[in-house]
Amino acid sequence: MSKSFFVDTTVCTACRGCQVACKQWKNLPAENTVNRGTNENPADVSFNTYKVVRMREEVIDGKLKWLFFPEQCRHCVEPPCLDTAGDKSAIYKDEATGAVIYTAKTKGLNAKEIIESCPYNIPRKGKDGTLAKCDMCLDRVQNGLLPACVKTCPTGAMNFGEREEMLALANKRLGEIKKICPSAKLLDPDDVRVIYLVAYNPELYHKFAVASVFDFGITRQMALAKMFRPVKNIASGLV
Amino acid sequence: MTNHWIDLKNSDCILIMGSNAAENHPISFKYVTMAQQSGGKVISVDPRFTRTSSKADIYAPLRSGTDIAFLGGMIKYILENKLYNEDYVVNYTNATFLLNKDFSFKDGLFSGFDSQKKSYNKSTWTFDNDEKGAPKRDLTLKDPRSVFNALKNHYSRYNLALVSRITGTSEADLLEVYKTYAATGAKGKAGTIMYAMGWTQHTVGVQNIRSMSIIQLLLANMGVAGGGVNALRGESNVQGSTDQALLWHILPGYTAMPKASQASLDVFLASIKPESKDPMSVNWKQNYPKYAVSMFKSFFGENATKENEFGYQLLPKAEDGKSYTWLDIFDEMYKGSIKGFLAWGMNPACSSTNAGKARKAMTKLDWMVNVNLFDNETGSFWKGPGMKPSSIKTEVFMLPAAVSVEKEGSISNSGRWMQWRYEGPKPLGNSKPDGDIIMELGNMLKEAYKKEGGKFPDAILKLKWDYMTNGKYDPHKIAKEINGYFLEDATVMNQQFKKGDLVPSFVFLQGDGKTSSGNWIYCGSYTNKGNMSARRGQKDVASNIGLYPEFAWAWPVNRRIIYNRASVDMTGKPNDEKRWVVKYTFDQKDGKYVPGKWEGDIPDGPAPPLSNPDGTARADGKYPFIMQKDGLGAIFGPGLVDGPFPEHYEPLECPVEKNFMSGQITNPTIPVYGTDADKVASCDPRFPYVGTTYRVSEHWQTGLMTRPQAWLLELQPQVFVEMSEELAKLKSIKNGERVKVASVRGSIECTAVVTKRFKPFKIGDSIVHEIGMPYNFGWRWPVSGKEESPNLLTPSTGDPNTRIPETKAFMVNISKIKRG
């Protein structure tokens, strides 16, 4: 059974406990930041920052909304980065969970190509060329614990579990939210293991919140891999 | 909190006003979210659109310091549209009481104001009593002298147009909030309030909360699940420290502080024993003398005897009419009358209002002992900005303290839950638990007084001070002392106790020296059955409202919802059948109703409700508000120094030249301090903008524990000032640039955050801008030394009842910084 996250942005308060918990569990160093005229910080994901809560002020239908989007690697069902790398010792998929894992051997990859292959613009290069991103807290998950970001979330915005359960939860919440907010949708639920529920146009949350239809399947390696792709789980059909 | 954190999930409407719970009490949003997902509405009222507002169903902005106008308008709306719960108002509140015919209110002043002393003679703030001495009542609510009609009359002035002119909230927004919240007055509906320092830190702080208490009584929201008046405490153990008398005007358990004029124990005890002539009123506070004597036995042990008034003469007394609050301490220190200072777990150099005055005051000290986890702006004040170390005489000692997780003991959360915690890692280096530091200090003081004598050695020498085990502070000994012991064999209420038994509940405490209890409200927390606060039972009550009565322990007597007897009708039947808190079932004997039993939460006393199931009155029934002298909810509240009904006054520093509500611009009783550091600039063109302060999720209080933490500093690296796009345009300020914010008392540099989340207010016929800053910063960290405390700008004044400072509304200017 594979795993998935369900991220319900409609109940996220941007307390950013997830962002700190991620750094704490991974013991990642803090970045030297300045206030850039926003609460959001650091400015982007980086080699040392796997998770960033995006905050956007938008006026929708004449009312101010503050949209929060806890961003991280989506752990794609068919990861373009994995296909692009074509080297299972550098980027591989953990079969049990579906986690997409980067090893120290990513140092040997063409970082630019890998980053560009990601429809969500997530992987980041370290000084020595190694690539890094969220690893689903695989060490925790393999020991029966929740990922650190999920464990720390107070409101139920961050959820994690069996993929079927997460899809069911996502569709249940989508149904509830749609009654209040008809524009609500799940983002790429069939393609990713980090399924976001947003109330409004996803592009208002973040440029890369949702993958463009053209973002998948652009490299030669991926084209080859696609020939063997199994039938997709049509999760959105459950709504 | 009258209720508790989990109980928020039971609410049909949560008003979050004077608090930014999503950011400053993030875990509370677990339960707020649950309430919302069950169909409850969340309303956020705040000068600024916050992370709380982002999750609310309704957001309404208001200008800082105008909450009473906003809530007064709601009271008027509820009364005029008859949205109050009439049964509740008539039977459970003092709305029916007739007022003293000399009580009056005219142009912003209540009867009895002494303009010389700036205080009220409250002799007319009383009820018209019958021949037995109990208040006369008009159950029809028609008598013009009834509290109900005085209330109606008082708030008749708070019409939408006027409230909107004062608050800057649009009439449409006011109406939407009023309508949504007032809907909780319907039977079986519950509305609650989450408030914090956004309500308290004003010159009308206590009256802000009184306004809401009146609304909750009118809507029958007191005592019910999902209701109550809920103060979100600013630190995890602020509730505990208040219970244990952190504040000067009380002894533990909210016992009044003895005054110098109360020369004997008898005089003191008489002053803390209210009398009611109504047999239906439990008037629980009449038991205070027993609790006070038991407390003195706990303080002085065997040295407290009947002959020496149980040690009453060993206690410090407050001078009549004198105040000893934080504002007063720093005022005295500034004037040079205080020589030594223990700054214990505090950072006044950043947390004090008018922090510049506090910092200067510290230069007048001979010595300071700074007990804290890390060095801070207080311990290092002498080398801070603008200080000349060579000219400062103060000698500073630093005592490193252990952090909370390194200590065993209890904390009491906002919901009054006393929860036991265990020691995690051992304290680092030379750091010690506060308990050890204070025990050792006490022992050394005793030794010094024994050896050298002094002005009044007995006050220290006669203290019972035996809370160490093998030379270490023993939290269990303290917890048991707070609970209390039987000091002799005794039979109380037909139960036998042996000397040394822990007292199982405060109903067994005695006023003759046979029992001790360090704090009566905690009596029952640590009994012969064990440490009740260490319990971790997961079982809920039958109605599944999240009481979890076997998890930890709540004061008083493990009652989870205070005034729960007001959640039932006159016959003891719950008004909300699904989310019931308590219910009463009568027994029958010979065709008559006889006392039966309460189920659910621990009720406010075992007496039966006021009526039998057939509606006939019971002579042994009791009113539900047992801590009120008259047993009924106080819509008319004569206990405060600034009025029995809340009235809108402007903050000490405000943007308007007149109060649109009356001729009295500010609260007439507010404290004023007169040193050269106590400057005030109201309606001053040099300081045209309203300023306010707040906290952020990412930092804790003055940031002592969080600013040195790199992961948190990464999230919020710098002090910032939030302002509207309109104000930024007016001042040509760009988002992200450093700007100067100044009040008449000081100035700081901040990063500008230009945001849609602040909007200009229309106040009267003018546009008023408001800005806000988080007070979590100070020069000591980060290393740049440039991120200073916004409390350098805030004024030295506060609420006349509590003297909590007015840091939520003051006047500032903002300007670009000219470089090079």
Side-chain angles (χ1 to χ4, degrees), chain A residues 71-106:
Chain A
E71 169 139 86
Q72 63 180 91
C73 168
R74 312 297 200 276
H75 296 279
C76 297
V77 176
E78 300 290 334
C81 61
L82 184 150
D83 291 346
T84 304
D87 176 358
K88 295 264 163 84
S89 71
I91 299 181
Y92 71 95
K93 188 153 79 174
D94 175 69
E95 284 310 318
T97 58
V100 179
I101 304 297
Y102 284 20
T103 74
K105 290 200 175 164
T106 51

Side-chain angles (χ1 to χ4, degrees), chain B residues 618-631:
Chain B
R618 286 193 70 89
D620 58 353
K622 299 287 179 201
Y623 300 136
F625 288 88
I626 62 168
M627 298 306 282
Q628 292 292 329
K629 186 178 87 169
D630 300 309

Side-chain angles (χ1 to χ4, degrees), chain A residues 8-16 19-20 23-25 27-42 48-49 55 57-59 63-68 152 154-155 173 176, chain B residues 22-23 26-31 33 36-37 48-51 54-55 57-58 176 696-698 709-720 722 725 735-736 751-758:
Chain A
D8 185 349
T9 66
T10 67
V11 296
C12 172
T13 57
C15 73
R16 301 195 283 184
Q19 223 180 293
V20 177
K23 288 232 158 171
Q24 185 173 19
W25 181 252
N27 204 14
L28 290 165
E31 299 183 29
N32 281 322
T33 56
V34 292
N35 187 311
R36 299 167 293 115
T38 166
N39 279 269
E40 191 183 304
N41 238 333
N48 289 321
T49 302
M55 306 184 185
E57 294 166 16
E58 294 289 342
V59 177
K63 288 210 163 176
L64 179 61
K65 305 284 172 193
W66 205 359
L67 307 175
F68 305 135
T152 202
T155 61
R173 282 293 294 156
E176 289 166 7
Chain B
E23 299 190 42
I27 311 301
S28 72
F29 255 65
K30 178 184 177 110
Y31 306 105
T33 304
Q36 241 174 344
Q37 291 183 352
R48 171 186 64 134
F49 188 101
T50 65
R51 293 183 230 182
S54 80
K55 292 281 118 18
D57 298 279
I58 300 170
E176 194 185 9
V696 294
S697 305
E698 298 81 3
Q709 219 300 331
W711 292 323
L712 297 171
L713 200 63
E714 175 191 70
L715 298 171
Q716 291 286 10
Q718 289 177 292
V719 65
F720 57 85
E722 289 179 295
E725 294 172 342
N735 192 29
T751 302
V753 173
V754 179
T755 171
K756 291 180 168 57
R757 294 178 294 98
F758 252 128

Side-chain angles (χ1 to χ4, degrees), chain B residues 665-786:
Chain B
I665 186 146
T666 56
N667 186 337
T669 59
I670 53 178
V672 180
Y673 296 89
T675 75
D676 60 348
D678 297 300
K679 294 179 201 138
V680 175
S682 192
C683 271
D684 185 325
R686 291 176 300 160
F687 303 102
Y689 310 124
V690 177
T692 192
T693 60
Y694 34 74
R695 303 193 295 183
V696 294
S697 305
E698 298 81 3
H699 288 295
W700 176 249
Q701 308 292 46
T702 68
L704 170 91
M705 290 198 285
T706 52
R707 282 183 277 127
Q709 219 300 331
W711 292 323
L712 297 171
L713 200 63
E714 175 191 70
L715 298 171
Q716 291 286 10
Q718 289 177 292
V719 65
F720 57 85
V721 53
E722 289 179 295
M723 70 191 80
S724 68
E725 294 172 342
E726 291 82 354
L727 179 59
K729 200 175 160 201
L730 193 71
K731 307 291 285 186
S732 305
I733 290 168
K734 283 191 208 72
N735 192 29
E737 80 170 291
R738 293 288 275 185
V739 293
K740 188 175 119 176
V741 185
S743 77
V744 71
R745 291 160 295 275
S747 71
I748 61 167
E749 197 181 303
C750 302
T751 302
V753 173
V754 179
T755 171
K756 291 180 168 57
R757 294 178 294 98
F758 252 128
K759 282 282 169 198
F761 293 103
K762 188 162 182 226
I763 306 299
D765 300 319
S766 316
I767 296 296
V768 171
H769 295 278
E770 178 163 345
I771 60 106
M773 297 155 285
Y775 84 86
N776 310 98
F777 290 87
W779 61 270
R780 186 78 182 75
W781 201 269
V783 285
S784 71
K786 289 198 169 151

